[in-house]
């Protein structure tokens, strides 16, 4: 059981605005691989071959093959105790803004309805020509096409691409206005998401990290709750409800 400092629980209890940023580690206990570290996707696959617009232009079959494989993984697994605890935390604090780098949609599946998805959603497809998101209309040579004739691509954000502008703006605003910022299950290496805890810190927020490992962010954090989020978050909720009662 991680040690919660004397400061954290009262601060959380009376906080008017809490912001949470999650990364692939929040879904690790669901059985989805993370990107970096032991067992991470980038240990087996090269990001340059699969997660850039250039890679897609070069070999859409290869990229779609990888995304179809990962879609199947997302569909065949479920949210875990960490996702459910965050949905529960929503009801226990003044305002909770949830920002995620995950593309699996598990926060929403666990009952957290308004989630800022910085890197898109892996189950969504988008037409390269008309920009429409939705179902594949036609398949040709194993590739999905839109009704307008354009090729569909996975609705995620690849390296070198801009993040959805409204999502990034809302995320910045949430980082600037919260009194506590949680960074959960992220290596904090991919920008601009990795900038958010720094923005929050500069605006005076208390920074809490939940991760079994130390990361690029640990030196900046006020508190590291070291452990898997599927265990730490339910313990945090439990401790918080005791403070509240
Ligand atoms: C647990 C756990 C448990 C394990 N419980 N925790 C040089 C310097 C600075 C920036 C750049 C640069 N060169 C290029 C850039 C920009 C680039 C970038 O940041 N690169 C860095 C890698 C250097 N960023 C971009 O390109 C972004 N766009 C952009 O910046 O546009 C403007 C621009 C364009 C061009 C040039 C410059 C600027 C777009 C980034 C898109 C990221 N996309 C991906 C793929 C999404 C689609 C897909 O899923 O296929 O997003 S990459 C991948 O990394 C994915 C993730 O969302 C993202 C972050 O990873 P995350 O979530 O932190 O996961 P991990 O695996 O890294 O960490 C998991 C953590 O969990 C670990 O710490 C574990 O310990 C922990 N953990 N078990 C809790 N049970
Ligand atoms: Zn189209």
């Amino acid at each position: 059981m991680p040690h919660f400092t004397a400061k954290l629980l009262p601060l959380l209890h009376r906080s008017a605005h809490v912001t949470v940023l999650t990364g692939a580690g929040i879904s690790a206990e669901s059985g989805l691989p993370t990107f970096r570290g032991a067992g991470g996707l980038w240990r087996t696959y090269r990001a340059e071959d699969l997660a850039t617009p250039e890679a897609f232009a070069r070999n859409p079959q290869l990229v779609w093959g990888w995304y179809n494989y990962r879609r199947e993984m997302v569909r065949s697994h479920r949210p875990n105790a960490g996702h459910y605890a965050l949905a529960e935390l929503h009801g226990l604090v003044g305002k909770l803004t949830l920002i995620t780098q995950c593309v699996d949609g598990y926060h929403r599946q666990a009952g957290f309805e308004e989630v800022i998805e910085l890197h898109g959603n892996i189950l969504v497809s988008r037409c390269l020509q008309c920009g429409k998101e939705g179902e594949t209309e036609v398949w040709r040579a194993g590739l999905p096409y839109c009704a307008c004739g354009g090729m569909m691509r996975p609705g995620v954000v690849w390296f070198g691409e801009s993040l959805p502008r409204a999502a990034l703006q809302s995320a910045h605003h949430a980082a600037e206005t919260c009194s506590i910022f949680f960074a959960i299950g992220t290596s904090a290496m991919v920008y601009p998401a990795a900038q958010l805890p720094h923005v929050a810190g500069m605006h005076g927020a208390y920074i809490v990290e939940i991760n079994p490992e130390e990361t690029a962010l640990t030196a900046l954090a006020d508190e590291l709750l070291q452990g898997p989020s599927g265990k730490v978050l339910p313990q945090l909720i439990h401790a918080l409800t005791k403070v509240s009662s």
Side-chain angles (χ1 to χ4, degrees):
M1 170 116 160
H3 175 69
F4 304 122
T5 62
K7 194 165 177 189
L8 178 61
L9 294 172
L11 191 63
L12 194 53
H13 181 49
R14 62 167 194 270
S15 179
H17 186 190
V18 177
T19 294
V20 175
L21 170 69
T22 62
I26 186 89
S27 299
E29 288 153 274
S30 292
L32 301 186
T34 61
F35 292 91
R36 296 162 191 85
L41 290 166
W42 298 153
R43 287 280 169 102
T44 314
Y45 306 96
R46 276 161 39 95
E48 299 87 331
D49 294 339
L50 297 162
T52 66
E54 293 77 18
F56 188 66
R58 222 170 23 239
N59 195 340
Q61 278 88 354
L62 177 78
V63 173
W64 263 118
W66 190 61
Y67 277 94
N68 284 333
Y69 155 73
R70 288 186 46 222
R71 278 181 170 183
E72 197 38 50
M73 240 183 337
V74 167
R75 289 197 180 104
S76 59
H77 292 78
R78 295 284 164 263
N80 65 59
H83 297 100
Y84 288 106
L86 280 177
E88 199 180 335
L89 185 63
H90 200 189
L92 297 174
V93 295
K95 176 183 176 190
L96 178 56
T97 304
L98 178 55
I99 308 163
T100 190
Q101 298 167 84
C102 296
V103 295
D104 52 39
Y106 283 2
H107 285 303
R108 206 165 285 129
Q109 217 176 308
F112 206 121
E113 277 166 25
E114 266 191 51
V115 185
I116 300 174
E117 290 181 324
L118 289 179
H119 293 163
N121 188 311
I122 197 167
L123 300 179
V124 169
S125 300
R126 187 173 74 244
C127 173
L128 283 177
Q129 195 161 280
C130 72
K132 202 180 97 185
E133 287 185 348
E135 298 293 310
T136 297
E137 295 284 333
V138 198
W139 290 85
R140 282 205 298 268
L143 287 171
Y145 286 85
C146 173
C148 82
M151 194 193 289
M152 305 290 273
R153 59 160 283 176
V156 298
V157 179
W158 286 321
F159 284 112
E161 292 188 312
S162 302
L163 276 64
R165 191 209 290 255
L168 191 57
Q169 268 173 0
S170 307
H172 265 271
H173 181 70
E176 285 164 6
T177 53
C178 65
S179 45
I180 307 189
F181 187 102
F182 283 90
I184 305 173
T186 177
S187 61
M189 284 174 64
V190 176
Y191 285 82
Q195 190 64 36
L196 294 169
H198 295 269
V199 171
M202 281 188 303
H203 283 79
Y206 191 74
I207 312 292
V208 183
E209 186 176 28
I210 300 180
N211 201 306
E213 311 286 340
E214 294 201 359
T215 71
L217 181 67
T218 309
L220 171 94
D222 294 296
E223 220 166 297
L224 167 65
L225 304 179
Q226 194 157 14
S229 45
K231 291 221 161 52
V232 174
L233 281 166
Q235 287 165 355
L236 182 66
I237 301 288
H238 182 70
L240 185 66
T241 46
K242 280 212 248 163
V243 173
S244 313
S245 60

